[in-house]
Amino acid sequence: MIDSTLPTQIDPLGARTERQQRLEALRSQFTGLDTEYPLADDTTARRIYLDSAASNLRLTVADDVVRRALRHYANTHSQLHFGARVMTHLYHRAHEIVGDFVDASDDYTVIFNGSGVTGGLNRTARVLAERRPERDLVITTMMEHHANDLPHRKHVGEVVHVPLEKDPDGEAGRVDMAALRAAIQEHADRLNYVAVTAASNVTGVINPVHKIASMAHEVGALCVVDAAQSAAHLPFSVQGGAEDEAIDVLCMSGHKIYAPGSPGAIVARKALFEGLEPQEVGGGIVNRVETDRYEIMEELPEREEAGTPNLPGALRLAATLYLLGRIGMDVIEEDERTLTQYALERFEAIDGLQIYGSHRLEVADRIGVITFNLDDLPHGLVTAALNDYFGIAVRNECFCAQPFVRELLGRTGGEGASSTEGECAPDSQPGMVRVSFGLYNTKEDVDAAADALADIAARPDEYRAQYRPLLNGSGDWTHRTFEYPPEEAFSMEDEIDDWLRSA
Ligand code: PLP
């Protein structure tokens, strides 16, 4: 591997006001912002993308940079020709930039893995179960995505789910730290690690992960953080403010950091992965192979990245993170907080709209994720109507967090919520509607969503008359007459054939 002599920290570029201006300039630099769709009222509209918690749109600036880098494309396992050397160097830099983005010291390694946090947490669970087999219990919280729950059940053993705090309005907030401390003490001998999300994909609420790490470390346990929702939205240091607060493993999803098509990243203390048989074996990670034995190289992350890497994806992720770091995550966080506060105020003013989770930012801070239901209307119908009549893309159902959504719904009710006693997929219909923000979203987008929701809330029977349930257990609804066949939207074959004809 080529040693890099480039700087090892992403320092924001310029004064705060300059960086805010650059953020404004960046808002339009994403692929898919100007995509138009036909609507049910026979008009056409530019879509408003409010589904960034699922995947966010791709940053064109980073794409362009990667396209230029790919003029050198070659396999990183080739050694001596120019292209291979350039690519090997860039791939190495990509690891470093990801590490720098989360302030990882030399004690950490960055491993590119799969496409998101699911792969990262499965790998982490397998590794930590193998590393510390005597510790067969994991503590997690009630707000976790299934990706930060099921891998621990499968690979480690028992999983204890700690409840959440209630804010003064009785709404679910952050993890209940007293309950967490009690659970940690109760299971101290068996506790392998505490696995917690930095921010909820259901309520957007942000957890104090460094304090949690410190509590886990007191009893010799580790702290694993799911950064799927936080990485692109909040400044973050894996090291925290003090030695005992450092995060042991952090997992991120490239497709939630404006870099769809990129791998996920695991940022882990080297000592946890060192010396174990790698999760996958094959080319690129061995010193010597005989027909009856093989010797794996010692270096991380190489020994954990068998095979040819997703080089374009890794470069895209690194270029994107570098750009976010140069704008400054402080500026990005503040910008999103302002938009979220504005959206909460607009949504709260809509009659019959019930927001889930604490919505007092001063009590439980949150990223730009807001879930809700409208009285008298199923979540699937509201979501379809936002799309069909307003060109607004949002997500519905249970967001892969069934226990948490079930708990929130059980408490609040409303038709979107309660058609079968707070049950979620697969055979029943309840869920929620989720609006979530990316850097490209503006107050105008929030206004459009709030106005649309107010219209739907004011005329529930008229909207209901236009839709029928899909009856597939999803809770989704479809328009009775308006159709948008996806195969008519884009055909790869036609695009290729057009090129061939014109060639
Ligand atoms: N964790 C959280 C909080 C998420 O929101 C998601 C995806 O929505 C995941 C984990 C899983 O991420 P991925 O689908 O990238 O594997």
Side-chain angles (χ1 to χ4, degrees):
M1 179 176 282
I2 296 172
D3 272 331
S4 169
T5 52
L6 294 171
T8 54
Q9 287 203 325
I10 306 178
D11 288 327
L13 180 66
R16 200 177 171 92
T17 45
E18 266 179 296
R19 297 192 278 121
Q20 281 161 336
Q21 281 162 13
R22 292 192 182 118
L23 178 56
E24 283 309 318
L26 195 68
R27 281 199 211 292
S28 57
Q29 304 301 311
F30 294 86
T31 305
L33 283 178
D34 52 1
T35 307
E36 296 197 337
Y37 293 113
L39 300 185
D41 61 4
D42 289 332
T43 59
T44 298
R46 181 186 70 80
R47 74 163 168 181
I48 298 177
Y49 190 78
L50 294 176
D51 193 17
S52 290
S55 269
N56 47 29
L57 301 181
R58 192 187 268 206
L59 190 55
T60 48
V61 190
D63 252 359
D64 292 344
V65 169
V66 172
R67 197 171 311 119
R68 291 201 291 280
L70 291 182
R71 287 169 47 238
H72 300 277
Y73 184 77
N75 194 306
T76 50
H77 295 166
S78 301
Q79 298 286 346
L80 290 183
H81 63 78
F82 292 136
R85 285 160 57 192
V86 174
M87 278 297 130
T88 303
H89 166 73
L90 288 177
Y91 190 53
H92 176 55
R93 273 303 290 153
H95 288 87
E96 289 183 336
I97 289 172
V98 173
D100 293 346
F101 184 75
V102 292
D103 188 31
S105 65
D106 288 346
D107 293 342
Y108 289 82
T109 183
V110 174
I111 300 166
F112 290 127
N113 180 83
S115 65
V117 160
T118 304
L121 287 171
N122 271 280
R123 191 170 197 138
T124 300
R126 281 199 304 267
V127 165
L128 296 186
E130 189 182 338
R131 169 73 63 194
R132 296 149 57 96
E134 69 289 357
R135 291 174 173 261
D136 64 347
L137 185 139
V138 172
I139 292 177
T140 185
T141 82
M142 271 309 291
M143 69 164 74
E144 302 305 321
H145 188 281
H146 301 327
N148 198 21
D149 180 357
L150 306 188
H152 317 309
R153 298 192 206 184
K154 181 175 161 86
H155 298 294
V156 184
E158 191 177 338
V159 172
V160 173
H161 299 85
V162 171
L164 309 181
E165 271 173 2
K166 302 279 185 229
D167 75 3
D169 307 318
E171 300 284 352
R174 310 177 309 173
V175 59
D176 180 333
M177 295 296 272
L180 177 63
R181 179 172 289 284
I184 289 174
Q185 296 303 329
E186 183 185 344
H187 301 291
D189 295 343
R190 289 175 58 203
L191 182 59
N192 193 324
Y193 54 92
V194 177
V196 62
T197 191
S200 164
N201 66 322
V202 179
T203 61
V205 165
I206 299 166
N207 280 319
V209 292
H210 288 108
K211 285 201 185 108
I212 293 172
S214 160
M215 280 162 60
H217 292 152
E218 274 174 32
V219 300
L222 303 169
C223 181
V224 172
V225 170
D226 171 352
Q229 293 299 335
S230 60
H233 304 270
L234 300 174
F236 194 79
S237 162
V238 281
Q239 299 187 74
E243 173 73 35
D244 66 318
E245 289 186 344
I247 305 306
D248 299 290
V249 183
L250 180 90
C251 296
M252 309 187 241
S253 299
H255 69 98
K256 293 189 201 285
I257 313 180
Y258 308 105
S262 297
I266 303 172
V267 182
R269 284 187 192 275
K270 277 184 193 152
L272 297 173
F273 279 70
E274 265 165 357
L276 293 179
E277 175 74 4
Q279 296 296 306
E280 286 169 4
V281 289
I285 67 163
V286 280
N287 290 328
R288 189 177 175 91
V289 178
E290 307 287 347
T291 49
D292 58 349
R293 72 199 122 97
Y294 57 86
E295 184 191 308
I296 307 271
M297 58 174 56
E298 277 180 11
E299 293 85 3
L300 281 167
E302 288 83 347
R303 60 183 281 125
E304 284 289 343
E305 291 187 354
T308 298
N310 172 2
L311 198 45
L315 299 190
R316 188 177 307 117
L317 178 60
T320 304
L321 290 182
Y322 183 73
L323 198 154
L324 297 185
R326 294 294 265 172
I327 297 254
M329 291 306 292
D330 53 341
V331 165
I332 289 171
E333 177 189 28
E334 185 192 36
D335 183 74
E336 183 171 314
R337 200 167 193 274
T338 307
L339 192 68
T340 305
Q341 180 70 59
Y342 180 69
L344 286 168
E345 283 161 19
R346 288 264 2 225
F347 288 6
E348 275 169 2
I350 297 170
D351 274 350
L353 189 147
Q354 163 78 47
I355 297 174
Y356 296 103
S358 181
H359 26 119
R360 296 188 190 203
L361 296 189
E362 67 286 2
V363 179
D365 209 356
R366 59 156 86 193
I367 56 164
V369 169
I370 304 174
T371 41
F372 56 86
N373 269 307
L374 286 184
D375 285 350
D376 306 324
L377 282 171
H379 58 90
L381 194 159
V382 174
T383 302
L386 283 173
N387 179 69
D388 297 346
Y389 286 94
F390 303 94
I392 298 174
V394 302
R395 172 111 166 223
N396 67 309
E397 300 186 11
C398 288
F399 323 116
C400 301
Q402 290 187 29
F404 186 31
V405 169
R406 195 180 292 128
E407 182 176 294
L408 291 170
L409 292 177
R411 220 175 50 73
T412 51
E415 182 171 345
S418 65
S419 44
T420 55
E421 296 164 1
E423 280 299 309
C424 284
D427 298 322
S428 53
Q429 300 162 359
M432 304 169 173
V433 184
R434 180 178 73 187
V435 159
S436 54
F437 303 129
L439 283 172
Y440 27 75
N441 292 124
T442 59
K443 282 189 169 177
E444 288 72 42
D445 295 343
V446 171
D447 286 337
D451 292 346
L453 287 164
D455 190 67
I456 297 169
R459 302 188 291 135
D461 295 338
E462 284 172 51
Y463 279 99
R464 192 184 277 272
Q466 303 301 324
Y467 285 88
R468 62 179 169 80
L470 279 178
L471 299 179
N472 61 1
S474 65
D476 289 339
W477 289 59
T478 187
H479 201 280
R480 289 180 188 277
T481 54
F482 171 61
E483 284 186 351
Y484 178 70
E487 59 276 15
E488 284 173 21
F490 190 84
S491 158
M492 290 189 292
E493 300 92 314
D494 288 351
E495 297 273 324
I496 295 291
D497 288 346
D498 284 352
W499 183 86
L500 288 172
R501 281 189 200 100
S502 66

